[in-house]
Amino acid sequence: MIRVVVADDEALVRSGLAVLLRHEPDFEVVGQAADGLAALELVRTLHPDVVLMDIRMPGIDGLEATRRLVAAPDTAGTKILVLTTFDHDENVFAAIRAGASGFLPKDTEPQHLVDALRTVAAGEALLAPRATRRLIEEFRRTAPAVAGKPLAGLTERELDVLRAVASGLSNAEIADRLVISYATAKTHVSRLLTKLDARDRAQLVVIAYDHGVVRPAADE
């Protein structure tokens, strides 16, 4: 079973998401929170697999709640999927930096949301296609020079794979671009996650732009 906490300040949204997930045989909604502090307490107590986290909530918002959960050793193993009105919420970029495993817009189709939760629970990152493009565009625009993990230990092939990940490519697309097998592409991505101490692909995108592996659009 995939154990989920739903955190959203709107009661109708929380109950609607809970009902949706309870109709799926592999999900168990173990708790609901109306604000960030309540979400923190539920995760610390219940240790769910995934938190479905709204960003805009009273008290501490979903962004700060994400930072605290990822930073604490006893809750860092819980995956966080941010659900947001993406087109109006610039904080989603900060959520990925804070350690969220992915994000989806609130108008996502129900089945896509369920599939996304399964993906995140399995330890993979999930970026909605339109959100991935926006994320990449934002990093290209800002190109922040933030200290991160060193890249000196990466091979040329791993750097190629990192560039492909930062371009929003899936493992299958990376295999096609680099003319390697799907299994090899998947292995390279796994090694990057280990070498760079990254939680998931979303964090790899951050690292790639922070270190200039992918250049800002103005420089291209």
Side-chain angles (χ1 to χ4, degrees):
M1 295 291 289
I2 298 171
R3 303 172 72 251
V4 180
V5 162
V6 178
D8 195 295
D9 62 338
E10 296 184 36
L12 284 175
V13 173
R14 290 198 309 275
S15 60
L17 291 170
V19 169
L20 171 67
L21 296 178
R22 283 169 182 154
H23 280 86
E24 300 294 326
D26 53 337
F27 283 97
E28 179 185 4
V29 177
V30 295
Q32 299 181 42
D35 57 59
L37 283 174
L40 289 175
E41 289 305 313
L42 284 176
V43 174
R44 290 167 180 159
T45 302
L46 302 173
H47 300 287
D49 300 301
V50 185
V51 179
L52 188 55
M53 182 86 76
D54 186 23
I55 284 185
R56 296 180 177 179
M57 293 187 291
I60 67 168
D61 61 17
L63 176 58
E64 179 60 24
T66 296
R67 288 195 187 102
R68 295 188 189 185
L69 290 174
V70 171
D74 60 331
T75 56
T78 295
K79 307 297 183 182
I80 300 169
L81 178 61
V82 172
L83 191 63
T84 180
T85 49
F86 181 82
D87 291 333
H88 303 94
D89 206 332
E90 296 179 357
N91 282 333
V92 73
F93 305 112
I96 294 301
R97 288 186 181 278
S101 293
F103 53 89
L104 288 174
K106 280 193 172 180
D107 59 359
T108 297
E109 292 293 326
Q111 189 56 51
H112 290 169
L113 174 61
V114 170
D115 292 341
L117 282 167
R118 292 189 179 110
T119 296
V120 169
E124 301 179 34
L126 190 288
L127 305 179
R130 82 178 193 229
T132 302
R133 300 295 175 248
R134 284 280 303 278
L135 177 68
I136 291 169
E137 288 168 8
E138 179 70 6
F139 284 132
R140 282 178 170 168
R141 183 180 70 78
T142 59
V146 179
K149 299 297 179 181
L151 305 184
L154 301 186
T155 66
E156 284 301 316
R157 176 58 85 190
E158 287 168 344
L159 285 170
D160 289 340
V161 173
L162 183 58
R163 292 186 189 98
V165 170
S167 296
L169 300 188
S170 66
N171 287 347
E173 291 168 333
I174 292 171
D176 289 341
R177 172 180 286 190
L178 300 182
V179 195
I180 57 180
S181 70
Y182 173 85
T184 299
K186 185 176 180 180
T187 297
H188 280 309
V189 171
S190 295
R191 287 175 179 169
L192 284 172
L193 292 170
T194 299
K195 286 187 174 184
L196 299 178
D197 193 23
R199 282 171 59 93
D200 48 43
R201 298 171 81 97
Q203 293 285 291
L204 290 180
V205 173
V206 174
I207 291 169
Y209 279 92
D210 281 350
H211 287 274
V213 174
V214 180
R215 295 177 299 167
D219 296 338
E220 291 178 345

